């Protein structure tokens, strides 16, 4: 066993059984990877903020794209389906009456766009204080459990007019 | 009563697991270790029937709708079809975790049955590692997220609580109707995606346990563990792949954004172990054939298994903002501890056994099959690292700068895209390389045809009007790799025809049948080629349009015309209220089909589900969403998704190829009893 350790450690031509030529190859691959990762990170980095953080950071943003997350304020969803024009407000915390952010989005209204759903928007805050979102994501229903209990023991029948 | 039986079965399973682990460890010190070990193995196998009882009881409760059980109330309802009620087993956290234990105990029992007589020294530690893992999950099910928790009502106050056992004075409370499975989960993709994913994730415990056993017994240099687990790895890898495809298909059909992959942390968490496992499957071939890369293989299996646990941790802990909101509970931190233990333990074992993992051979030439495999390994690790970096970047940036910064899909397109493209290119070249050493001249001769074929295709595409450079490069690589792979089949077939005087079809069949591992692998490669073409097409050339139409009006998109022909409304089977639009799809003035995009409203969830009307063409999909309606007008969003069916087709081809490789059979087994180091000189296997 010990002999083998000596073998691998003293031979200059082997490292995991790899020759220097292959080491150079590895360096090139690692270099290329680092370049890709660093360049990719720099060019696509976006702040991921809560509504309050967005307002706090506002002076530094200068119209840069940001990602904002918050809860959809109750009764704030307005949708004009003929224009695919959706507006709603986001807030960090409904109960605490925290500041809200008005969001505007053009596109189909996602099925999960519901009061108090958690939304993630990507876009920028306009001069008029309205956030125009290019991307709108809602938390998926892989959400399994809910806190509330026996809220609805509702029947399974549905009234079809 | 049934609930109690289930609970007892679950508890006994945990005790049997604990006993198996303890007895296996004790057998190393006992005088008559053999008997103790046998008893440990029996206990480990016993967990499977016990967990089967517990799981079947939960399934039974779900199907009959026993709403005194909290989990049943949460995920099942009378209005759901019996089939959906069965799938509710993995529709919530408690059931998922039980299902996970059940599947894992199945893998453990099967592995202990098959591998038992071959190598008891390894099996001892396999029992310790697998039961240790299983025990962790069983403890979670028992104490953190138990599917047998019931509702109890205090008859005086009317207060209802959830407890495993009755509080004093309380009576069992049964809800009138369950809440039922979330509407968006009622889709075949979501029915198949969780179980296949779990089979994939848990399946890796077998190769991991054998690897750890090899390290503990300092027998990493002897390749028994790889031979014993190769097929297990393949099965786990295949299930993980199928899980990825079904998840993508679900997103495409249900989420209504016309896409199937969004580089979300939860998706990445599933992709990463698939990537490292793919590297592992390739790199163990080198170990079997040439006795090399032993340390690499250990690292790869440790990484794969750790990434599996990391994936569960990410989905359950909420540390990384994801659009997939799994319930976050105390389980998150527990998984982190489990992950940290696994990783440090494995690294310690690897470090301890490092000197024993020497290579029998070294790479002789830069231009050889071995170095192609090495490069492939490096690229797979690179793309895994890039994905991991992008996934946890918000966490890192918050730790370092205090601000949460995300990178999002553009990062992954820019970083993962080129590396994956390089991998596809390598996938084409590598099989053409000879083992040990090759010459540039020979390689150039072999690759000339695919090279020029790919050039012809790209020039044709350019003439047809495709001018995006990235897409042209992509299509070149895909065609090149595809032709290279087809030529491998061609060369093998010609060789056989000459040697055995067989006709082309027979020669091809015999060739593939007798070298299932090799040619099954090439079938998987063809699947990758088809998948890659699908990704380039659907990512690069998606078109979309939207319009508000009155009855009888039409809209245009690409070569298609869509005519709105009215709305209809009906009640669905499981309490959904369905509004669907009739859309006539025309191409060149001729009616192709009628599409029915629809909105389904689930009253007890107060939730809608938008189901796209999709025309599946061989070249492109027309994907129509009913956005809304008012009076006789309705609004539609339409996507044309080129080559998207190739994505699914690629998945099917890959799965078939894997089945072909993994199917038990004499020919494959005979081949691999050859001494690995005596690999043939010419390109083979």
């Amino acid at each position: 066993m010990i002999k083998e350790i000596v073998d691998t450690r003293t031979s200059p031509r082997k490292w995991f059984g790899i020759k220097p030529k292959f080491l150079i190859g590895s360096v090139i691959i690692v270099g290329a990877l680092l370049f890709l990762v660093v360049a990719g990170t720099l060019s696509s980095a976006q702040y991921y903020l809560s509504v309050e953080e967005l307002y706090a950071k506002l002076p530094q943003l200068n119209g840069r794209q940001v990602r904002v997350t918050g809860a959809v304020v109750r009764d704030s969803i307005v949708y004009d389906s003929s224009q695919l024009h959706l507006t709603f407000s986001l807030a960090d915390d409904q109960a605490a009456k925290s500041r809200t952010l008005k969001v505007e989005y053009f596109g189909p209204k996602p099925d999960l766009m519901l009061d108090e759903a958690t939304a993630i928007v990507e876009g920028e805050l306009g001069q008029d204080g309205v956030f125009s979102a290019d991307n709108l994501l809602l938390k998926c229903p892989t959400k399994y459990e809910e806190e509330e209990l026996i809220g609805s023991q509702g029947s399974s029948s549905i009234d079809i007019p | 009563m049934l609930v109690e039986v289930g609970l007892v079965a679950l508890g006994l399973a945990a005790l049997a697991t604990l006993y198996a682990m303890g007895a296996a460890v004790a057998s190393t010190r006992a005088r008559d270790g053999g008997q103790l070990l046998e008893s440990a193995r029996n206990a480990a196998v016993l967990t499977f029937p016990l967990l089967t009882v517990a799981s079947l009881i939960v399934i039974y409760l779900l199907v009959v709708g026993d709403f005194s059980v909290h989990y049943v109330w949460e995920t099942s309802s009378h209005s759901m079809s019996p089939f959906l009620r069965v799938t509710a087993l993995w529709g919530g956290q408690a059931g998922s975790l039980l299902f996970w234990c059940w599947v894992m105990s199945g893998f453990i029992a099967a592995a202990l049955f098959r591998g038992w007589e071959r190598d008891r020294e390894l099996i001892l530690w396999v029992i310790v590692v697998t039961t240790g893992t299983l025990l962790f999950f069983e403890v979670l099910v028992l104490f953190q997220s138990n599917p047998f928790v019931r509702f109890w009502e205090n008859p005086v106050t009317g207060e209802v609580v959830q407890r495993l056992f009755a509080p004093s004075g309380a009576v069992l409370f049964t809800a009138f109707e369950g809440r039922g499975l979330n509407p968006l989960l009622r889709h075949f993709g979501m029915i198949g995606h969780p179980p296949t994913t779990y089979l994939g994730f848990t399946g890796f415990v077998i190769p991991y346990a054998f690897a750890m056993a090899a390290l503990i017994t300092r027998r990493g240099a002897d390749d028994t563990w790889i031979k014993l687990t190769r097929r297990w790895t393949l099965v786990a890898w295949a299930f993980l792949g199928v899980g990825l495809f079904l998840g993508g298909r679900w997103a495409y059909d249900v989420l209504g954004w016309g896409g199937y992959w969004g580089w979300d942390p939860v998706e990445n968490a599933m992709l990463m172990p698939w990537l490292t496992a793919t590297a592992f499957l390739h790199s163990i071939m080198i170990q079997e054939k040439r006795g090399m890369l032993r340390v690499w293989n250990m690292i790869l299996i440790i990484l794969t298994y750790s990434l599996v646990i990391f994936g569960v941790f990410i989905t359950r802990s909420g540390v990384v903002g994801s659009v997939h909101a799994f319930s976050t509970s105390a389980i998150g931190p527990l998984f982190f501890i489990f992950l940290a233990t696994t990783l440090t333990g494995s690294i310690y074992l690897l470090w301890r056994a490092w000197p024993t993992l020497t290579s029998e051979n070294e790479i002789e030439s830069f231009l050889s099959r071995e170095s192609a495999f090495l490069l492939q390994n490096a690229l797979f690790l690179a793309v895994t690292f890039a994905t991991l970096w992008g996934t946890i970047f918000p966490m890192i940036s918050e730790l370092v700068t205090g601000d949460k910064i995300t990178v999002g899909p553009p990062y992954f397109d820019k970083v993962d895209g080129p590396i994956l493209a390089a991998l596809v290119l390598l996938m084409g070249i590598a099989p053409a390389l000879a083992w040990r050493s090759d010459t540039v001249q020979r390689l150039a001769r072999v690759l000339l045809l695919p090279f020029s074929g790919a050039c012809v295709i790209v020039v044709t595409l350019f003439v047809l009007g495709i001018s995006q450079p990235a897409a042209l490069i992509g299509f070149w690589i895909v065609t090149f790799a595809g032709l290279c792979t087809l030529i491998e089949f061609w060369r093998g077939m010609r060789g056989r025809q000459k040697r055995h005087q067989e006709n082309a079809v027979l020669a091809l069949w015999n060739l593939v049948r007798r070298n299932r591992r090799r040619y099954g692998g090439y079938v998987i490669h063809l699947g990758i080629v088809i998948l890659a073409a699908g990704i380039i097409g659907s990512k690069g050339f998606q078109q979309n349009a939207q319009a508000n139409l009155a009855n009888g009006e039409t809209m245009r998109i690409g070569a298609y015309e869509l005519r709105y022909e009215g709305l209809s409304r009906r009640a669905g089977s499981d309490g959904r209220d369905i509004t669907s639009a009739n859309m006539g799809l025309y191409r060149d003035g001729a009616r192709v089909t009628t599409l029915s995009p629809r909105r389904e409203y689930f009253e007890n969830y107060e939730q809608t589900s938008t189901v796209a009307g999709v025309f599946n063409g061989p070249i492109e999909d027309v994907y129509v969403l009913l956005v809304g309606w008012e009076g006789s007008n309705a609004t539609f969003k339409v996507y044309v998704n080129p080559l998207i069916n190739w994505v699914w087709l690629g998945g099917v081809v890959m799965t078939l190829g894997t089945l072909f490789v993994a199917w038990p059979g004499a020919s494959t087994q005979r081949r691999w009893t050859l001494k690995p180091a005596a690999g043939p000189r010419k390109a083979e296997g």
Side-chain angles (χ1 to χ4, degrees):
Chain A
M1 211 63 81
I2 289 164
K3 189 168 164 285
E4 281 179 76
I5 303 177
V6 174
D7 276 355
T8 45
R9 300 263 161 98
T10 51
S11 164
R13 285 169 44 77
K14 264 167 82 178
W15 188 75
F16 295 135
I18 303 171
K19 291 176 182 172
K21 205 155 58 159
F22 288 86
L23 268 183
I24 296 168
S26 326
V27 168
I28 293 172
I29 293 174
V30 170
L33 172 68
L34 285 181
F35 170 77
L36 276 173
V37 166
V38 170
T41 308
L42 289 179
S43 68
S44 45
Q46 268 180 3
Y47 279 117
Y48 189 19
L49 306 165
S50 67
V51 175
E52 288 293 343
E53 286 166 351
L54 172 74
Y55 285 122
K57 266 233 152 26
L58 210 49
Q60 297 157 246
L61 290 180
N62 301 324
R64 248 198 295 171
Q65 287 257 323
V66 288
R67 213 172 215 241
V68 182
T69 182
V72 176
V73 176
R74 187 175 302 198
D75 298 327
S76 71
I77 304 169
V78 178
Y79 189 48
D80 175 359
S81 73
S82 64
Q83 302 298 318
L84 284 86
H85 182 223
L86 175 67
T87 57
F88 57 94
S89 297
L90 285 182
D92 289 348
D93 186 359
Q94 304 254 349
K97 289 250 180 282
S98 57
R99 272 204 281 181
T100 62
L101 173 71
K102 192 168 179 190
V103 181
E104 182 181 57
Y105 173 74
F106 285 92
K109 185 174 87 165
D111 292 327
L112 296 165
M113 187 76 213
L114 302 165
D115 286 347
E116 292 173 24
T118 306
I120 301 167
V121 290
E122 273 172 26
E124 54 186 290
L125 191 62
Q127 299 289 330
D128 53 357
V130 176
F131 189 91
S132 50
D134 307 320
N135 255 322
L136 167 62
L137 302 168
L138 281 130
K139 292 267 188 178
C140 263
T142 27
K143 182 175 188 90
Y144 291 149
E145 255 113 285
E146 288 190 18
E147 296 304 312
E148 53 165 316
L149 171 69
I150 321 241
S152 56
Q153 295 169 30
S155 71
S156 58
S157 69
I158 281 182
D159 293 327
I160 304 292
Chain B
M1 181 58 199
L2 262 182
V3 174
E4 281 84 0
V5 174
L7 200 54
V8 167
L10 185 59
L12 285 178
L15 287 177
T17 316
L18 185 64
Y19 172 78
M21 190 165 74
V25 173
S27 77
T28 57
R29 306 195 186 278
R31 255 188 324 130
D32 189 11
Q35 222 164 21
L36 206 51
L37 180 61
E38 197 133 341
S39 141
R41 175 244 191 180
N42 291 342
V45 172
L46 185 66
T47 59
F48 180 60
L50 285 171
L51 287 168
T52 306
V53 169
S55 305
L56 288 179
I57 287 178
V58 172
I59 292 175
Y60 175 78
L61 296 171
L62 287 165
V63 171
V64 299
D66 182 344
F67 300 123
S68 66
V69 178
H70 175 253
Y71 184 75
V72 176
W73 169 80
E74 199 177 42
T75 55
S76 182
S77 74
H78 289 310
S79 64
M80 280 160 49
S81 69
F83 178 67
L84 274 178
R85 285 182 232 166
V86 172
T87 70
L89 177 62
W90 50 82
Q93 176 161 285
S96 304
L97 283 173
L98 175 62
F99 182 58
W100 176 288
C101 291
W102 186 26
V103 171
M104 189 176 264
S105 69
F107 272 115
I108 294 170
L112 292 184
F113 255 108
R114 279 186 62 88
W116 177 240
E117 291 306 330
R118 296 194 224 175
D119 204 318
R120 294 201 177 201
E121 196 192 0
L122 277 184
I123 290 291
L124 190 163
W125 293 105
V126 169
I127 292 176
V128 174
V129 175
T130 53
T131 50
T133 313
L134 181 61
L135 188 63
F136 170 75
F137 284 94
E138 285 169 340
V139 166
L140 285 186
V141 177
L142 274 172
F143 300 110
Q144 285 287 334
S145 196
N146 195 312
F148 295 111
V149 165
R150 281 175 290 180
F151 293 127
W152 302 94
E153 187 180 26
N154 184 326
V156 185
T157 59
E159 189 193 4
V160 174
V161 292
Q162 309 164 42
R163 293 276 189 286
L164 217 42
F165 302 104
S168 67
V171 292
L172 196 63
F173 173 88
T174 305
F176 178 66
E177 168 66 306
R179 216 166 41 124
L181 212 53
N182 188 302
L184 298 195
L185 299 183
R186 301 179 188 185
H187 174 269
F188 83 87
M190 251 315 130
I191 291 160
H193 165 77
T196 45
T197 306
Y198 289 4
L199 282 164
F201 271 8
T202 53
F204 283 114
V205 78
I206 303 299
Y208 170 77
F210 272 92
M212 291 307 103
L215 286 181
I216 294 168
T217 55
R218 298 181 184 249
R219 284 176 46 201
D222 137 16
D223 304 328
T224 318
W225 74 274
I226 282 193
K227 292 208 186 82
L228 288 178
T229 60
R230 190 184 67 83
R231 200 162 276 149
W232 293 107
T233 314
L234 206 55
V235 167
W237 177 84
F239 274 118
L240 199 55
V242 171
L244 279 163
F245 276 104
L246 286 175
R249 184 63 200 239
W250 170 77
Y252 184 67
D253 285 349
V254 174
L255 294 185
W257 54 284
Y260 49 88
W261 185 261
W263 293 112
D264 183 88
V266 165
E267 297 160 17
N268 296 345
M270 198 174 163
L271 178 67
M272 288 188 285
W274 186 87
L275 291 171
T276 51
T278 314
F280 177 71
L281 276 174
H282 286 91
S283 138
I284 54 175
M285 289 186 230
I286 297 278
Q287 179 164 345
E288 282 181 284
K289 265 201 170 311
R290 307 271 289 130
M292 293 157 60
L293 302 185
R294 289 184 171 129
V295 172
W296 264 116
N297 289 333
M298 284 292 172
I299 293 175
L300 284 174
I301 191 64
I302 291 170
L303 260 181
T304 303
Y305 188 64
S306 302
L307 284 169
V308 162
I309 300 170
F310 177 73
V312 185
F313 165 65
I314 265 201
T315 44
R316 299 288 170 186
S317 67
V319 288
V320 175
S322 156
V323 292
H324 304 262
F326 288 85
S327 64
T328 58
S329 56
I331 284 180
L334 292 176
F335 268 111
F336 187 76
I337 295 167
F338 185 57
L339 173 64
T341 316
T342 306
L343 202 53
T344 46
S346 314
I347 291 170
Y348 167 72
L349 288 176
L350 179 63
W351 171 78
R352 210 181 64 127
W354 193 288
T356 65
L357 297 172
T358 46
S359 280
E360 282 169 28
N361 292 295
E362 54 180 271
I363 293 185
E364 291 163 25
S365 156
F366 214 52
L367 203 61
S368 66
R369 183 79 70 88
E370 288 90 331
S371 41
F373 270 102
L374 203 60
L375 179 61
Q376 178 256 23
N377 262 324
L379 289 177
F380 265 112
L381 278 190
V383 75
T384 308
F385 170 77
T387 312
L388 183 66
W389 174 260
T391 307
I392 61 172
F393 190 69
M395 248 155 67
I396 299 172
S397 72
E398 198 173 16
L399 276 177
V400 176
T401 67
D403 286 320
K404 224 178 193 174
I405 299 170
T406 78
V407 286
Y411 163 86
F412 295 102
D413 291 347
K414 272 181 254 180
V415 182
D416 285 36
I419 306 175
L420 290 173
L423 272 168
V424 175
L425 185 66
L426 188 63
M427 185 183 85
I429 298 171
L433 280 165
W435 290 99
R436 293 189 181 168
S437 133
D438 207 334
T439 61
V440 179
Q441 290 79 2
R442 200 198 70 86
L443 191 64
R445 213 168 46 238
V446 176
L447 296 181
L448 182 66
L449 186 64
F451 184 91
S452 19
C455 290
V456 170
I457 294 283
V458 163
V459 169
T460 315
L461 288 174
F462 184 74
V463 171
L464 289 174
I466 290 171
S467 58
Q468 297 177 22
L472 287 176
I473 294 171
F475 281 126
W476 188 89
I477 291 175
V478 166
T479 321
F480 174 77
L483 288 174
C484 284
T485 313
L486 289 175
I487 284 173
E488 284 296 317
F489 281 96
W490 173 257
R491 287 198 342 213
M493 186 188 81
R494 296 293 297 180
R496 228 195 129 76
Q497 269 184 299
K498 282 203 193 107
R499 278 197 309 276
H500 296 84
Q501 268 79 47
E502 290 168 341
N503 70 42
V505 178
L506 189 66
L508 185 63
W509 171 243
N510 280 332
L511 174 81
V512 172
R513 201 170 52 94
R514 280 162 197 267
N515 303 280
R516 286 209 320 226
R517 194 172 170 186
R518 179 174 175 189
Y519 288 97
Y522 291 158
V523 172
I524 300 174
H525 283 188
L526 285 178
I528 293 276
V529 164
I530 299 169
L531 166 68
I535 292 173
I536 299 168
S538 57
K539 253 194 105 60
F541 300 93
Q542 188 184 55
Q543 290 173 280
N544 70 75
Q546 59 205 39
N548 179 263
L549 303 176
N551 209 334
E553 277 188 329
T554 61
M555 66 183 287
R556 289 202 70 87
I557 181 166
Y560 300 92
E561 199 166 39
L562 285 147
R563 192 178 130 95
Y564 171 48
E565 294 161 351
L567 284 180
S568 60
R569 193 166 174 198
R570 65 194 156 88
S573 61
D574 55 351
R576 44 182 120 179
D577 177 15
I578 303 171
T579 306
S580 66
N582 283 327
M583 290 290 270
L585 178 71
Y586 294 84
R587 192 184 170 126
D588 305 323
R591 192 176 181 103
V592 182
T593 184
T594 307
L595 298 175
S596 332
R598 58 187 198 269
R599 286 277 285 277
E600 301 181 343
Y601 181 68
F602 292 80
E603 194 182 41
N604 55 350
Y605 263 91
E606 294 179 12
Q607 190 175 311
T608 53
S609 166
T610 305
V611 182
V614 184
F615 168 69
N616 292 125
I619 300 298
E620 56 197 11
D621 267 19
V622 182
Y623 182 97
V624 183
L625 293 170
L626 174 61
V627 176
W629 59 88
E630 210 164 290
S632 66
N633 280 37
T635 310
F636 298 93
K637 174 115 189 174
V638 184
Y639 295 89
V640 172
N641 294 319
L643 301 189
I644 197 150
N645 275 332
W646 294 37
V647 172
W648 320 128
L649 179 66
V652 171
V653 172
M654 283 171 69
T655 312
L656 290 178
T658 316
L659 270 178
F660 196 70
V661 179
W663 206 264
S667 61
T668 331
Q669 275 171 3
R670 192 163 358 100
R671 261 174 70 79
W672 290 98
T673 50
L674 296 171
K675 198 175 165 0
R681 196 171 173 86
K682 244 197 118 287
E684 178 85 55

